[in-house]
Structures are given as C-alpha cells and as structure tokens.
Amino acid sequence: MVLSHAAAFGALFLASLFDLDYGEVPDSVLLSGVFASLALAVAESLTAAGGQSFLSVLVSSGSFSLSAAATDPFVVSVGAGLLCFAYGWSAYLAGVWGGADALALAVLGSGAAVPLNGSMLVHVVGLGASLLLAVVVYTLVFALWKAA
C-alpha cells in the first residue's frame, strides 16, 4: 500500500503546484490520483490474504466473510474514498469549499485509508480525527473571514 499512498500524495502535491501557480487545479490531476490509488488497491487486494480478498472471491467461487471485507484494501479504499467525496461534495455545494478541495479529499480517502502497518481501526480513527480537526479549523477560519 506504499504505492497507493505515494500515488495519492503525489497527485495532491501536483495539485498544490497547480493551485499555487494558476489558482486552479485541473480535475484530471485529482481524478488520476483517485484512479491510481484504486488501481493499486485492486492489485493489493488480489495479492493479499492468500486469495481470501473481496476481489479474489468475486473472480473465483470461494467463501468470503464480512470481517475480511472490513480489512480488504479495495473495500476500505472505495468506502473511504466515497465517504470523503460525499463530505467534500457537500461542502462544495454549501459554498464552503471549491471543487478541487472536494476531489482532493476523495484522493486522500481512496489513497491513504489503508494503513502501511498496524491496526486498521487505529489508522482509520486517527485519519478521521485528523481530517475532522483540520476541517473544523478550516471552517472556523472561513466563517470568521466571511463574517469580517
């Protein structure tokens, strides 16, 4: 999953450069980060867990447990990516964020949701708490700026 993290953060870094230089981020940069992260999660899912991953079971006729789905890299990447995109898109529709911000959050969710090592639960809770803290600070600063 190191490659998935690298693809996500590489896309976010490139998006930051576009934002600094042009003030706009092309959707293609962030969408490529999402698709690269998901493609790498597919590869990880197919090679991990001794053939017991979600995608391996779909390809072959095997048994699959819901507890295995909770730790499958593809399932976690898609789920976290969709949740982050839904939150980012709702912030975009509310006028708080721009479209690139919503897609950047989807890149982060799809690329960095699976831990490099350690517990999946600890990583996801830590990532969620970090995102929540950053979003709260950003939203407060934005609200104060709009009020002034």
Side-chain angles (χ1 to χ4, degrees), residues 42-55:
V42 165
E44 177 72 18
S45 180
L46 289 173
T47 59
Q52 295 301 312
S53 71
F54 179 72
L55 293 176

Side-chain angles (χ1 to χ4, degrees), residues 5-59:
H5 285 76
F9 292 117
L12 291 172
F13 179 73
L14 188 58
S16 297
L17 294 178
F18 270 103
D19 195 22
L20 286 173
D21 200 23
Y22 302 109
E24 261 188 53
V25 178
D27 290 342
S28 59
V29 171
L30 294 170
L31 289 175
S32 67
V34 170
F35 291 128
S37 296
L38 291 177
L40 291 166
V42 165
E44 177 72 18
S45 180
L46 289 173
T47 59
Q52 295 301 312
S53 71
F54 179 72
L55 293 176
S56 297
V57 172
L58 286 180
V59 172

Side-chain angles (χ1 to χ4, degrees), residues 6 9 13-14 17 28 42-43 57 67 69 73 88 92 96 99 132 138 141-142 145:
F9 292 117
F13 179 73
L14 188 58
L17 294 178
S28 59
V42 165
V57 172
S67 62
Y92 168 73
V96 177
L132 180 63
Y138 175 84
V141 169
F142 181 79
W145 176 71

